[in-house]
Amino acid sequence: MYKVEDRGSGSDEVKLHGPRYPYRLNFYDTPPLYDVTIEAFESAALNRLRVLAEIESSAARDRKWDETKTVIIAQCEKYLPLKSAGALNVDLDEQRRTDQLGHFVLRLAFCRSEELRRRFVKAETTLFKIRYETDDSVERQKFLGSRNFNWVAVGDQEKAEHQQSLLTYYNTKNDDFAREKYFKVRWTRVPDLVDRRRVFLKGGWAYVPGKEQSSIIYQEFETHLEKDLMVTARYMPRLDEDTRLKGVLDNLSQGFLAGVSSEWNSSPMDANVQGIKAEMVDELAAKHFPMCMRNSHQKLRADHRLNHFGRLQYGLFLKVLGLSIEEAIVFWRKSFDRITDDTFNKMYKYNIRHSYGLEGKRANYPAKTCQQILTSGGDPGCPYRHFSVDNLRSALVSAYGLSSADLHDVMNQVKNNHFHVACTRVYEITHASSGVKRGDGVGSGESVTHPNQYAAKSMELEKAKEEKAAAMVP
């Protein structure tokens, strides 16, 4: 069990003072205080990280704001639901408790360096913006009324005094202007509006119209979180002494590197891609495998061998792809065709059976995720991260026949260390004939976070294409 601080969360206080989490919007002022298991601690953080990683991926993929909102709302529904107060048949307290717990756990993971703090603040602020724009208007006003944003309401006299100046920055009819409310804040609180020349400045004050009020709130959220992360960072050395948490937090802090995979790290693919045969792997590799697994397959065919980690990574991928243990033994035996049967049985067969949970402790080992591959030592690793620039260019052209424009696009993502975004772009480019457009990702706008996810979606597209063609045959 792990205790997370949350002042005043006892059941008696809840009864006396109403809901523990009265609003959907949250500045996360107060950390939680209750016992949670390590599993719940990690699960709440992982689900939130899936959403934040997709937010960062959306920025890297240069999505428009409406597209980003659509993708993130779908991700939130899947991993981080947070309904408004009027929702029926929903445990609002549990949703909001999980939301708060996940946020504070990720603070611990991302407070450790300036770069991690910057990325975390940017992603969290974007999530807050999306929630603010989609929140129930009545509930949103109650939330705003519950906080002191230190803005000064502009009176009618002052508004009339500066009318011409205000109208310069507020292009509207006089009737609309008369109804518009204005707030004064120090100009440093709304740098985005100042930069875009959306506010009138006088004596160090920015006159913000009501329709731009959200900019004050977003800036306040960002500044508030930045300060809190600095405070958290000062206390981190104490937490690092807890060996139970250090591994969890280290793993979470890698979450922006490759996103966070979901069911692909533990579940086999669905029935429509089960039962592949050993002799099918060559064709599947050429048509459906991501670069990492395609590279492993090519090395295996060229050298008739793979090192231990290469066999483990590729073998588990094929297992989740649908290669049975019997077919796996056939596949690896044919691949290692330069050794005798006796050597194969002694050196390799046990390990193959072990990876399928038939030997040793009989565990059902999952396939490696993009995050695990990216953070490995580099052999075999992720080509987008571990290949030299020249080798990666050659491999992309050779394997996928990318045009110079597409190649430039992919290499730009690699240059900016958005390796899983580069892989996602390759998926989109190579599946354009199946109707996949830029920004679609592997479905619903999601980025690639697991090699099996890439292969599964590719095979599903081909099957759908074949079924459509068959249906058109008279």
Side-chain angles (χ1 to χ4, degrees), residues 62-121:
D62 199 26
R63 281 192 177 122
K64 294 180 180 178
W65 178 243
D66 287 344
E67 293 174 347
T68 297
K69 275 179 63 176
T70 299
V71 170
I72 300 309
I73 289 171
Q75 288 288 93
C76 285
E77 283 293 321
K78 190 173 182 181
Y79 300 115
L80 195 64
L82 196 65
K83 301 294 186 182
S84 295
L88 301 176
N89 303 318
V90 175
D91 189 343
L92 294 177
D93 227 35
E94 176 62 21
Q95 285 188 352
R96 295 174 185 189
R97 185 189 74 85
T98 301
D99 176 72
Q100 186 186 43
L101 175 61
H103 171 86
F104 276 96
V105 175
L106 291 185
R107 277 194 192 182
L108 300 178
F110 288 99
C111 72
R112 302 174 172 194
S113 71
E114 183 178 350
E115 171 67 9
L116 287 175
R117 289 193 293 270
R118 181 189 64 78
R119 295 170 73 174
F120 180 65
V121 168

Side-chain angles (χ1 to χ4, degrees), residues 44 92 121 136 143 146 164 169 191 199 213 233 260 273 303 343 356 385 389 391 400 430 456 472:
L92 294 177
V121 168
D136 176 79
F143 167 76
S146 72
Q164 292 307 313
Y169 299 90
V199 288
Q213 183 185 38
V260 184
V273 290
D303 301 337
T343 301
Y356 277 76
R385 185 181 194 187
V389 172
N391 284 346
Y400 301 109
T430 55
M472 294 176 66

Side-chain angles (χ1 to χ4, degrees), residues 23 135-145:
Y23 309 109
D135 201 22
D136 176 79
S137 59
V138 174
E139 191 172 344
R140 181 170 59 212
Q141 286 304 313
K142 288 181 179 179
F143 167 76
L144 295 179

Side-chain angles (χ1 to χ4, degrees), residues 327-343:
E327 290 297 321
I329 291 173
V330 172
F331 171 79
W332 288 106
R333 180 65 192 97
K334 288 183 177 179
S335 299
F336 298 151
D337 57 1
R338 295 181 180 178
I339 60 175
T340 64
D341 287 341
D342 187 52
T343 301

Side-chain angles (χ1 to χ4, degrees), residues 1 10 19 41 53 92 95 100 109 122 172 175 179 198 223-224 256 262 269 279-280 308 349 418 436 443 458:
M1 305 289 283
F41 180 91
L92 294 177
Q95 285 188 352
Q100 186 186 43
K122 187 175 181 180
T172 186
D175 289 345
R179 290 192 295 268
R198 301 293 293 272
T223 303
H224 183 80
F256 281 144
S262 52
M269 291 169 54
E279 62 268 19
M280 297 167 57
H308 171 73
K349 191 172 182 179
H418 297 302
V436 177
S458 178

Side-chain angles (χ1 to χ4, degrees), residues 38 103 122 236 238 264 296 308 378 380-381 390:
I38 291 292
H103 171 86
K122 187 175 181 180
M236 273 308 297
R238 299 183 189 178
W264 303 103
S296 292
H308 171 73
D390 289 340

